[in-house]
Amino acid sequence: MITLHWLYLLAGAMFAGFAILSAGDRSNAKRWGNAAFWGLMALSLLGGDLIGDLGNGFLVLGLAALAGFGLVGRGQPATTSEAEREAWSARLGNKLFLPALIIPATALFGTLLYNYSPLGQSGLFEAKRETYVLLGLGVLLAILTIFVWLKPPPLTPLQEGRRLIDSIGWAAVLPQMLAALGVLFAAAGVGDIIGGLTRSVIPDGSLFLTAAVFGIGMALFTMVMGNAFAAFPVMTAAIGVPLLIQDYGGDPAVVGAVGMLAGFCGTLMTPMAANFNLVPAALLELKDQYGVVKAQVATALPLLALNILIIYVAAFR
């Protein structure tokens, strides 16, 4: 049976490759910091279940120290030049997107085939993890297609991957860490503390103020955590359920759905949501690393105000 653990091994091997190539990149003054950072990421994926909670805790502290002390920097991998990439683009045009399309196509059609054919009874993939496994398979098929079609040097996928991951830097691991942080906050009772503070500040019967605090709180916590899904359990336990739903009788569906949308407004305004805001800036090679965030603020603020109004009006009609 192919399980999710196989994907961890695949991703860990990729980060291990980044670490080795970074260590050999003499053009990067911070090559040892890069090698250590991506090496720790590889260790977490390849052996995280073996080193235990304490070991993983020290591993995370090591990642934070390397990033916090500025020991991670952008390398110059031996890959194609901008002129060469433009030449390939002019020659092949939109055909260059074909390998990338193989990945979602494999995940989508592979999942449908596996779930709605006798193949699903074979037990080939771990239950309810087939889409993830097929996504990884799609990546391997896309790389194989590139080698057969374009015949690049053997290390090109790793070098290009390292070029991209170095452009993003430490922010690439933020989604994983922030999702874990949200679970920790909820387990530590942060929501109960915030709920107690809210009750002590907001006068009884102040429905609009409660809705505003919930919406703004969702946006702010999302900005801090970088992920609305991480902020949601905290703010829902603090304000959403005990105040808006239980005390004021709000519609749980509206409070939950629009509360999440308020959190997404925070996503638009924070660099902590690296996969949404910093990664596109790196991919597009924007001069301003925070250009995406700055462009989205004008949309996020009025949308947040609208969300608060919807919670107040629609949830309690």
Side-chain angles (χ1 to χ4, degrees):
M1 176 186 293
I2 301 176
T3 67
L4 206 57
H5 187 69
W6 289 44
L7 290 185
Y8 288 133
L9 294 177
L10 180 63
M14 178 190 71
F15 281 112
F18 292 162
I20 294 171
L21 292 174
S22 294
D25 185 3
R26 296 182 181 277
S27 66
N28 184 4
K30 298 181 179 180
R31 59 176 177 146
W32 296 116
N34 281 25
F37 191 88
W38 303 124
L40 287 175
M41 278 298 300
L43 176 61
S44 71
L45 291 164
L46 294 173
D49 54 342
L50 300 176
I51 62 178
D53 294 340
L54 182 61
N56 281 292
F58 280 115
L59 189 150
V60 170
L61 290 176
L63 290 173
L66 289 167
F69 286 105
L71 300 178
V72 180
R74 185 169 182 172
Q76 298 295 330
T79 182
T80 54
S81 65
E82 184 175 349
E84 289 174 317
R85 290 194 292 272
E86 289 181 354
W88 278 106
S89 176
R91 176 185 169 189
L92 298 174
N94 290 334
K95 293 179 182 178
L96 286 171
F97 288 102
L98 290 176
L101 294 175
I102 290 174
I103 302 172
T106 302
L108 174 61
F109 295 112
T111 301
L112 293 175
L113 178 64
Y114 187 80
N115 287 327
Y116 297 100
S117 75
L119 184 62
Q121 307 300 319
S122 65
L124 179 62
F125 302 140
E126 180 182 352
K128 299 183 179 180
R129 296 291 185 269
E130 56 271 8
T131 301
Y132 299 109
V133 174
L134 287 163
L135 186 67
L137 178 61
V139 172
L140 295 177
L141 289 176
I143 294 174
L144 178 62
T145 301
I146 290 172
F147 274 113
V148 173
W149 179 28
L150 301 178
K151 298 179 175 60
L155 290 179
T156 296
L158 280 176
Q159 292 286 28
E160 287 289 350
R162 183 167 71 90
R163 180 176 66 85
L164 176 60
I165 204 72
D166 280 357
S167 298
I168 301 169
W170 56 266
V173 304
L174 271 180
Q176 179 183 355
M177 289 191 173
L178 293 173
L181 182 62
V183 176
L184 289 175
F185 275 16
V190 174
D192 295 334
I193 296 174
I194 295 176
L197 292 174
T198 303
R199 288 176 179 273
S200 65
V201 173
I202 299 178
D204 291 337
S206 299
L207 176 55
F208 180 78
L209 187 56
T210 304
V213 170
F214 177 63
I216 295 172
M218 273 295 302
L220 290 177
F221 260 84
T222 300
M223 292 174 71
V224 171
M225 296 182 176
N227 192 316
F229 290 97
F232 187 73
V234 176
M235 292 307 299
T236 301
I239 300 174
V241 172
L243 297 180
L244 292 177
I245 296 175
Q246 292 180 348
D247 287 2
Y248 294 116
D251 186 333
V254 176
V255 172
V258 183
M260 279 296 294
L261 188 56
F264 295 149
C265 293
T267 301
L268 296 174
M269 297 187 288
T270 176
M272 297 295 281
N275 50 332
F276 293 108
N277 300 330
L278 295 189
V279 171
L283 289 173
L284 296 173
E285 298 182 352
L286 300 181
K287 294 181 179 180
D288 185 355
Q289 183 183 13
Y290 305 109
V292 173
V293 177
K294 294 175 182 177
Q296 293 173 163
V297 170
T299 300
L301 290 176
L303 184 59
L304 176 60
L306 179 61
N307 290 336
I308 293 172
L309 185 61
I310 291 174
I311 294 174
Y312 174 67
V313 175
F316 304 97
R317 63 184 183 277

